[in-house]
Amino acid sequence: MELSDWLVIPEILPLMLSGLKVTVVITFFSVLTGLVIGTIVGLARLSDNRFLCGLTTAYVEIIRGTPLMVQLFLIYYALPEIGIHLPPMIAGWVAYSINSGAYVSEVVRGGIQSIDSGQMEAARSLGMSWWQGMRYVVLPQAFRNIMPPLGNEFIMLLKDSSLMAVIAVPEVMRYANLMVGRKGGYALPIYVTAGLLYLALTLPLSLVVRRAERGLAKGD
Amino acid sequence: MIELKNVHKHFGQLHVLKGITSTVDQGEVVVIIGPSGSGKSTLLRCINYLEEPTKGEIIIDGIKLNHSATNINRVRQEVGMVFQSFNLFPHMTVMDNITLAPKKVRGLAPSKAEDIAQELLAKVGLSDKAEAYPRQLSGGQQQRVAIARALAVQPKVMLFDEPTSALDPEMIGEVLDVMKNLAEDGMTMVVVSHEMGFAREVGTRVLFMDEGKIVEEGKPEEVFFNPKNERTQAFLGKIL
Ligand SMILES: Nc1ncnc2c1ncn2[C@@H]1O[C@H](COP(=O)(O)OP(=O)(O)OP(=O)(O)O)[C@@H](O)[C@H]1O
Ligand SMILES: [Mg+2]
């Protein structure tokens, strides 16, 4: 290892940055779909309907109890065996949305439960339906509380998206692996660069999350 | 206006309401008193179906309460409720608190809903607070907003569950005054409260509840100063 090895960085940076774009985009959309799934599942788990509640609880337990890698492989390598072929990016997005939905549903459920039950009662006593009470009264307050944990979920997913390299999604890790192979070495500068690129995203994000948490604690 | 026929409520094994039968006529102001845990809140909550009675019948303004959602939402528009802890929506201004239900439930145009809200705010003496958030108001002001909010759906009956017991003493008067005005305007009211002054001034009838039953009822003077039942006597001895 020589000091001049580090000069490889400017060479690989453009490719790595294009990988970073893919990382951000796929993470963003996964969290977005995860939020939709998570809200629906979170609400279903709080409902009186035994069937809905059982079904969604099973979903959450299964997803949280199995490795993300297994879920990803099931969707990318196993689904084709039953005739469903998804391109890598879509497979990654689907797997991460399903995964993130389970975690986000727990966040949403906690957020809703943290809202005083008197809020829903007041809404119902004014003649609003359960859904109107949720939509206009409970959820807006719950979402304020769940912004910080949601930010953490985004950070987790951002890092975990590096797993998608194994199904050839052209994200940061994929390019890092390719470079190391092509150049026959330089693993140290290349993986350090990859790590720094993730850090450049996660560090500011966790600062924002921390600040949001402090804001909530102060109650404004 | 309100008819209760042998209403029972169980929470699991706990038998909270043990056969409540009573009638509240239009324009009456019925004050319910009784020891903690006697089922006063539960009774109010049954009247607008926040709790479902396990047995018995409740008829509001000729509509029999049953489990169907349309029926419940419809009846709740006729029955306003004011809570001990106000339960204002903290993420909305006073104006939005009041106009939300008229817009979403009654389908009023925003401008119409706001006109009604301004009128109600004037009525409860808070015209200048329309754009304030609940946390910027004192307890007494919050409770007056809560009353305005309940009135905005134009209910025929108002239920109050210990509306002043979470308030500092100096703020109780302003809330009771609003309630008195409401009573004088002819609103039918059921009020759980131990405010004797209020009960004597505007109450048409006092119900004393104990252990899930109405033990005694009558004119405020009779119940307060000449209670027949010994449990009423014992209870009044403690609070007076
Ligand atoms: N949702 C519930 N689940 C189980 N038990 C309940 C529930 N709500 C009320 N209870 C019980 O029912 C009984 C009557 O309660 P309720 O709140 O109606 O009494 P109260 O007369 O309003 O008392 P207080 O003066 O303290 O407000 C109490 O023993 C209470 O613990
Ligand atoms: Mg009570």
Side-chain angles (χ1 to χ4, degrees):
Chain A
M1 172 85 216
E2 298 184 19
L3 209 57
S4 61
D5 284 2
W6 293 91
L7 291 176
V8 77
I9 292 179
E11 240 177 273
I12 59 159
L13 206 55
L15 264 185
M16 296 287 267
L17 282 176
S18 75
L20 195 65
K21 230 190 279 169
V22 172
T23 294
V24 169
V25 167
I26 208 162
T27 305
F28 178 78
F29 281 106
S30 298
V31 169
L32 214 61
T33 345
L35 185 60
V36 174
I37 297 175
T39 305
I40 295 169
V41 170
L43 286 173
R45 288 196 72 187
L46 289 170
S47 83
D48 298 332
N49 187 319
R50 279 260 191 81
F51 174 74
L52 266 184
C53 189
L55 193 75
T56 47
T57 304
Y59 158 70
V60 172
E61 292 305 330
I62 289 170
I63 295 298
R64 297 206 312 164
T66 54
L68 179 52
M69 182 85 104
V70 172
Q71 296 159 19
L72 189 63
F73 277 28
L74 274 173
I75 286 175
Y76 187 64
Y77 291 115
L79 283 189
E81 289 182 4
I82 55 168
I84 304 173
H85 298 264
L86 299 175
M89 291 265 254
I90 301 296
W93 171 62
V94 169
Y96 279 58
S97 297
I98 292 174
N99 182 272
S100 150
Y103 287 93
V104 170
S105 76
E106 289 291 277
V107 171
V108 170
R109 190 165 69 115
I112 290 172
Q113 281 175 326
S114 74
I115 303 302
D116 182 65
S117 60
Q119 291 289 306
M120 182 54 104
E121 286 190 350
R124 300 306 301 271
S125 78
L126 292 166
M128 284 188 242
S129 66
W130 179 87
W131 173 240
Q132 286 177 322
M134 265 298 158
R135 165 139 182 241
Y136 299 113
V137 176
V138 177
L139 284 181
Q141 295 181 64
F143 270 107
R144 255 173 54 102
N145 291 345
I146 70 176
M147 281 324 277
L150 214 56
N152 283 327
E153 171 65 15
F154 188 78
I155 292 170
M156 290 288 294
L157 218 57
L158 199 67
K159 292 183 293 177
D160 286 347
S161 67
S162 58
L163 275 183
M164 291 189 209
V166 297
I167 63 164
V169 172
E171 48 70 69
V172 175
M173 268 316 267
R174 167 76 175 164
Y175 281 126
N177 294 340
L178 280 179
M179 292 302 152
V180 171
R182 194 174 301 165
K183 301 213 175 276
Y186 299 103
L188 182 63
I190 290 176
Y191 288 128
V192 165
T193 305
L196 287 175
L197 286 179
Y198 283 109
L199 210 54
L201 289 177
T202 55
L203 221 50
L205 269 174
S206 40
L207 275 179
V208 171
V209 168
R210 204 94 38 84
R211 187 169 296 175
E213 277 169 348
R214 244 180 290 137
L216 278 184
K218 262 193 268 152
D220 54 24
Chain B
M1 184 59 76
I2 305 175
E3 232 179 303
L4 304 167
K5 289 185 190 162
N6 193 28
V7 173
H8 286 260
K9 177 69 189 174
H10 295 80
F11 290 111
Q13 292 296 314
L14 198 63
H15 197 174
V16 178
L17 296 180
K18 299 173 182 164
I20 302 282
T21 299
S22 192
T23 306
V24 178
D25 291 328
Q26 170 129 30
E28 260 200 294
V29 177
V30 174
V31 177
I32 303 178
I33 61 172
S36 179
S38 55
K40 308 180 297 294
S41 298
T42 306
L43 181 61
L44 283 196
R45 294 162 58 81
C46 282
I47 294 177
N48 74 349
Y49 233 73
L50 287 174
E51 301 286 357
E52 187 179 355
T54 28
K55 204 180 129 193
E57 223 172 73
I58 300 176
I59 298 166
I60 309 274
D61 196 25
I63 309 169
K64 192 172 141 188
L65 284 187
N66 61 40
H67 197 70
S68 87
T70 42
N71 172 290
I72 294 170
N73 291 338
R74 162 128 171 58
V75 166
R76 283 198 185 121
Q77 296 168 34
E78 310 300 334
V79 184
M81 178 134 179
V82 173
F83 302 87
Q84 180 176 0
S85 49
F86 327 138
N87 296 349
L88 290 180
F89 307 137
H91 60 302
M92 293 180 189
T93 61
V94 164
M95 180 54 83
D96 290 339
N97 262 276
I98 299 175
T99 55
L100 180 66
K103 285 191 288 195
K104 302 301 173 195
V105 175
R106 292 270 193 209
L108 289 191
S111 61
K112 181 88 174 76
E114 277 164 32
D115 288 347
I116 293 176
Q118 278 301 352
E119 233 169 81
L120 288 168
L121 279 174
K123 201 164 167 178
V124 300
L126 292 170
S127 290
D128 53 334
K129 298 292 185 194
E131 294 315 313
Y133 281 87
R135 70 187 132 81
Q136 298 166 321
L137 304 179
S138 72
Q141 291 172 329
Q142 289 190 47
Q143 193 62 298
R144 285 187 278 153
V145 171
I147 293 172
R149 180 178 68 176
L151 290 173
V153 252
Q154 296 168 327
K156 297 194 171 121
V157 181
M158 285 283 282
L159 311 175
F160 295 81
D161 191 1
E162 306 204 33
T164 58
S165 59
L167 297 177
D168 292 336
E170 72 270 20
M171 292 171 188
I172 292 178
E174 63 192 53
V175 172
L176 291 180
D177 284 342
V178 167
M179 291 169 61
K180 280 178 204 163
N181 288 335
L182 203 54
E184 280 156 16
D185 288 350
M187 177 62 81
T188 309
M189 295 163 60
V190 180
V191 184
V192 173
S193 172
H194 295 144
E195 292 292 334
M196 277 243 297
F198 173 81
R200 288 179 54 198
E201 228 177 292
V202 296
T204 50
R205 196 151 42 108
V206 171
L207 304 183
F208 173 68
M209 275 183 73
D210 195 20
E211 294 182 3
K213 288 188 182 140
I214 297 174
V215 173
E216 180 159 1
E217 67 180 293
K219 290 223 152 44
E221 261 70 24
E222 290 166 26
V223 176
F224 283 130
F225 299 113
N226 196 8
K228 311 244 169 352
N229 189 291
E230 60 188 69
R231 278 193 281 175
T232 319
Q233 289 162 4
F235 174 74
L236 288 170
K238 263 182 256 159
I239 65 159
L240 293 186

